[in-house]
Structure formats: structure tokens, C-alpha cells
């Protein structure tokens, strides 16, 4: 651990900065700040950024990761919900910019809720649209934030996010595994998702009482859902996992309108109605939703 020569924030700097700003980390906003330069460098390195790439960072907080991203050559669009943190970040970055570097010019801070923000302000914020999502996410809203931003921003091509270890497992789980569920299936709509290493508790201030892990996402084309929208596929996923222990023919009876229609739609989509939702790939969910829409629209 420790302070970096390139202006990254170590334990002493994080505490001093928080104190000078009158910031007390709050649990409700998932405020666990990184104070370990090695971890920050590791995240930036693992993010596989191209120099000059625009990164979307959710929750820059006191700026630990933001400084690492700027040091790595990225343009950064940072969305922070906490007004005090959002207001303080440009000065923190200006203060720590090495001579001759253009960090302040490459940073745009937006005070907003990442769960609700639309694409327009994010696209307008930098010369080039964000192509990477890199963040130490607020753990309590990590999954909805990831799904919202990947849905809003088709420009995102890849990402690396730090989340609770259990959430990392769920996001990256393959069909048929114990942890495969709604987050895994929905994230798979947008991207190939893999785990990218564990992160120890002491690198955060305050240290969280859960383990943490990195998750990598690489965009891929969505599966063929015919005339079904992504929202319709996602509603099917929600229905299938609402009763995950049941066979799909009963779990989807309400969604389909009747048990008989659930069986007919599943069979027409090539999915055995006795399977459980937890075994379906995102491609199979898309095929079932496509068949349901085709059937209800009369072919
Ligand atoms: N990136 C900093 C770091 O690594 O030290 C802080 C990460 S901390 C885990 C999460 C940050 O997200 C906090 O700064 C918090 O205020 C912010 N945050 C929480 N909920 C948010 C939301 N809905 N939209 C945007 N930012 C949010």
C-alpha cells in the first residue's frame, strides 16, 4: 500500500481530503473509498484501456480511481450522486495534476444518479462517447447501475467494475450454476461477463464487511429475439426466476396467460417445458420471448 509518485491517493491523503471536505463516508451511498495505489493501478491495467479512450466512471467519490484513470491517459466522464464529492473533484484533480499533464481538461464531472441518467448528457460530456465503464460501484445498487448504463449507452464496448464478491459471482455465472439468476441472464444480453480477480478488504476506507471482486464485461451482439423487445425478454427472465425451483411450464403459466400456452410457446421455441429457468441461456430466453410475441401477434 502507499502513496504513488503519480499523485494517487493513499490512506493519509484520503483521510485528509475527507476531513477537509467534511465528508463522512455513508453506508447508504455505498461509500467505501479506495486508498491503495497498487489496487488502483491494477484496476486501470486490468481495464485494458486504449490511450485516449473515454471512460465512464460511476461514483468517483474522493477521486482515487479517477486519478488513476487520468494518469493512464483516459478521458473520464464521472457521475457522482453526492453533491459535496461531485463539487470537490475538479479541484482535487487540478491539485494533483503533474506539471505538463492535461488531466483537468480530460475530466467531466456530472452530479447525477447513475440509476436514472439518460444517454444524452453522457454523450455530450466529452469529445468522444464513452466506450468503457470502469468503476468501484456503490455495492447496494451495483447490478441495476450496470444494467441501466449498458442499456442506455450502446457506445460502451467493454468494462471493468468492482463489486461485492457475491455480485461478481452472480453477474458472471453461467446457466445451470447455483448462482445463475436474473443479473447473470440480463448482463449476458449485453456482454460476455467474466470475473477478473478478488480485491482485499483493507484497500478500502472504510473497509467493507463483505469481500469484493472485479468483473469484466465485453459487449457482444444481443441474441435474436425476433419481434420481442429487450424489455419483453427481461420480463420473461423475471418471471422465470420468480419461481426458480419450478419447471418452466408452471413458472411461466402466469406470464404466458395459461399453463397450456406456456407449454406451447416453450415447445415452439425449442425449449423443453420441464426445464427450469436457471438452465436457460440468454439466447433461449430470447427465443421464448420471440415465440410468445409471434404467437400473440398471430404469426
Ligand atoms: N470511486 C471511488 C473510489 O474508488 O474510492 C468511490 C467508490 S464508492 C464504492 C461509490 C461511490 O458512488 C460514492 O462516491 C457514492 O457517493 C457514489 N454513488 C452512490 N450511489 C450513486 C448513484 N446512484 N449514482 C452515482 N453515484 C453514486
Amino acid at each position: 500500500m502507499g502513496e504513488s509518485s503519480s499523485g494517487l491517493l493513499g490512506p493519509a491523503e484520503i483521510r485528509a481530503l475527507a476531513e477537509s471536505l467534511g465528508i463522512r463516508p455513508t453506508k447508504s451511498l455505498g461509500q467505501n473509498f479506495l486508498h491503495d495505489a497498487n489496487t488502483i493501478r491494477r484496476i486501470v491495467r486490468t481495464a485494458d484501456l486504449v490511450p485516449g479512450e473515454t471512460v465512464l466512471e460511476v461514483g468517483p467519490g474522493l477521486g482515487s480511481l479517477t486519478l488513476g484513470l487520468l494518469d493512464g491517459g483516459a478521458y473520464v466522464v464521472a457521475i457522482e450522486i453526492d453533491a459535496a464529492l461531485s463539487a470537490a473533484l475538479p479541484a482535487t484533480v487540478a491539485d494533483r495534476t503533474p506539471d505538463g499533464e492535461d488531466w483537468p481538461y480530460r475530466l467531466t464531472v456530472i452530479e447525477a444518479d447513475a440509476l436514472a441518467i439518460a444517454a444524452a448528457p453522457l454523450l455530450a460530456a466529452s469529445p468522444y462517447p464513452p466506450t468503457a465503464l470502469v468503476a468501484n460501484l456503490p455495492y447496494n445498487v451495483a447490478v441495476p447501475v450496470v444494467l441501466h448504463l449498458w442499456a442506455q449507452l450502446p457506445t460502451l464496448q467493454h468494462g471493468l467494475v468492482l463489486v461485492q464478491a457475491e455480485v461478481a459471482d452472480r453477474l458472471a455465472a453461467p446457466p445451470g450454476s447455483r448462482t445463475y439468476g436474473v443479473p447473470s441472464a440480463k448482463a449476458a444480453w449485453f456482454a460476455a461477463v467474466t470475473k477478473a480477480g478478488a480485491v482485499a478488504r483493507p484497500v478500502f476506507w472504510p473497509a467493507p464487511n463483505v469481500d469484493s471482486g472485479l468483473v469484466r464485461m465485453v459487449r457482444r451482439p444481443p441474441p435474436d429475439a425476433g419481434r420481442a423487445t429487450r424489455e419483453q425478454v427481461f420480463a420473461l427472465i423475471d418471471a422465470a426466476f420468480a419461481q426458480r425451483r419450478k419447471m418452466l411450464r408452471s413458472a411461466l403459466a402466469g406470464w404466458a396467460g395459461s399453463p397450456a400456452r406456456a407449454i406451447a410457446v416453450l415447445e415452439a421455441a425449442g425449449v423443453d417445458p420441464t426445464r427450469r429457468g436457471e438452465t436457460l441461456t440468454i439466447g433461449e430466453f430470447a427465443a421464448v420471448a420471440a415465440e410468445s410475441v409471434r404467437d400473440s401477434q398471430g404469426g
Side-chain angles (χ1 to χ4, degrees):
M1 288 206 204
E3 189 188 347
S4 120
S5 53
S6 57
L8 301 187
L9 299 167
E13 288 95 343
I14 282 285
R15 275 163 196 69
L17 198 51
E19 201 176 310
S20 72
L21 297 172
I23 300 283
R24 284 204 187 169
T26 71
K27 220 175 169 160
S28 62
L29 289 177
Q31 292 177 338
N32 298 96
F33 303 116
L34 286 169
H35 65 179
D36 177 44
N38 287 330
T39 303
I40 291 158
R41 275 192 285 264
R42 174 181 159 212
I43 294 173
V44 174
R45 201 172 52 239
T46 311
D48 285 336
L49 301 169
V50 175
E53 188 166 4
T54 303
V55 174
L56 178 61
E57 186 192 0
V58 173
L62 291 165
S64 308
L65 183 56
T66 320
L67 289 163
L69 291 165
L70 292 166
D71 186 34
Y75 284 71
V76 179
V77 176
I79 318 170
E80 174 58 62
I81 199 168
D82 184 315
L85 290 173
S86 159
L89 187 57
T92 304
V93 167
D95 284 350
R96 305 189 77 85
T97 299
D99 286 347
E101 293 287 348
D102 62 348
W103 294 4
Y105 166 75
R106 285 193 271 116
L107 171 68
T108 308
V109 185
I110 301 174
E111 185 195 322
D113 180 351
L115 283 168
I117 196 161
L122 298 174
L123 294 173
S126 65
Y128 297 100
T131 47
L133 173 67
V134 182
N136 171 16
L137 289 172
Y139 286 3
N140 42 353
V141 290
V143 169
V145 163
V146 164
L147 296 176
H148 176 70
L149 292 173
W150 279 77
Q152 285 295 313
L153 278 181
T155 60
L156 287 180
Q157 291 306 312
H158 64 124
L160 186 76
V161 289
L162 182 52
V163 294
Q164 187 177 338
E166 198 187 310
V167 172
D169 287 341
R170 288 211 204 117
L171 280 170
S177 64
R178 198 176 45 82
T179 44
Y180 185 65
V182 171
S184 345
K186 290 184 179 175
W189 172 275
F190 300 107
V193 186
T194 47
K195 292 207 286 174
V199 173
R201 297 185 192 195
V203 305
F204 300 93
W205 176 72
N209 50 15
V210 292
D211 292 327
S212 300
L214 291 163
V215 173
R216 174 180 286 115
M217 297 177 71
V218 178
R219 191 182 284 275
R220 61 182 175 199
D224 181 3
R227 275 176 272 152
T229 61
R230 184 187 65 236
E231 287 76 10
Q232 286 170 319
V233 178
F234 280 17
L236 164 63
I237 293 170
D238 289 334
F241 282 103
Q243 304 175 75
R244 65 180 287 149
R245 297 282 158 227
K246 286 196 178 170
M247 291 179 189
L248 284 169
R249 66 183 181 201
S250 10
L252 294 183
W255 168 84
S258 70
R261 185 169 181 275
I263 292 173
V265 166
L266 286 160
E267 283 180 343
V271 174
D272 182 342
T274 65
R275 284 172 64 186
R276 291 174 176 165
E278 63 199 17
T279 70
L280 263 61
T281 63
I282 186 61
E284 288 174 317
F285 278 119
V288 173
E291 178 53 33
S292 174
V293 170
R294 193 199 60 74
D295 176 66
S296 64
Q297 291 179 350

